Amino acid sequence: HVQLMESGGTSTQAGGSLRLSCEGSGYLYATYCMGWFRQAAGKEREAVAIVDSDGRLFYADSVKGRFTISKDNAQRILYLQMDSLKPEDTAMYVCAAQAPSCVDPMTAIQARGRHTLRFFAHWGQGTQVTVSP
């Protein structure tokens, strides 16, 4: 059973930086595909960033150049470094894992709403990020 727990969400001002963490437990292996998703109030969940089992990185267009996903395989921790934050980045950020490898990450990074469930089997509870102008 895989468990994921996010941390690091808080309130900050536009232009600031935050680093989110997602700690995995249970049968979570370093080769898993992992990703970050977010859902703003009144909007669909959307993919933010994905790292596949080979270490390839995929980003949503809205965060390219500002967010960086990384994974510490030894510690089973997934990170999301968020720089140059904007008010529109305000959302609940959730991490997800898929075994044994990603299912079509190039399509997954464009997934929204319930379609995101097609690509990842395990989900955390989320951590709130609020960016004020």
Side-chain angles (χ1 to χ4, degrees):
H1 179 65
V2 173
Q3 292 182 310
L4 303 170
M5 182 173 293
E6 304 90 340
S7 63
T10 188
S11 298
T12 189
Q13 292 187 319
S17 297
L18 286 176
R19 188 175 79 159
L20 305 182
S21 300
C22 172
E23 294 190 51
S25 62
Y27 296 101
L28 184 66
Y29 296 98
T31 56
Y32 275 29
C33 171
M34 298 195 72
W36 285 99
F37 292 75
R38 67 185 181 186
Q39 186 167 11
K43 296 187 177 181
E44 290 185 306
R45 180 165 52 195
E46 63 179 1
V48 175
I50 294 170
V51 50
D52 75 5
S53 53
D54 294 324
R56 293 182 301 169
L57 309 178
F58 303 83
Y59 294 97
D61 288 342
S62 59
V63 306
K64 281 181 181 177
R66 300 188 299 121
F67 291 11
T68 304
I69 188 171
S70 61
K71 190 169 60 165
D72 183 329
N73 291 332
Q75 298 296 323
R76 300 182 180 180
I77 301 176
L78 179 73
Y79 297 104
L80 184 67
Q81 177 66 40
M82 305 187 294
D83 299 317
S84 302
L85 282 161
K86 304 175 180 180
E88 50 264 43
D89 294 319
T90 295
M92 179 72 75
Y93 284 73
V94 182
C95 71
Q98 173 65 22
S101 59
C102 282
V103 177
D104 191 3
M106 292 187 69
T107 300
I109 198 64
Q110 301 177 61
R112 305 182 73 89
R114 61 182 176 85
H115 297 292
T116 59
L117 299 177
R118 294 172 47 200
F119 302 96
F120 289 86
H122 309 286
W123 296 82
Q125 295 298 309
T127 185
Q128 178 68 36
V129 172
T130 302
V131 184
S132 58

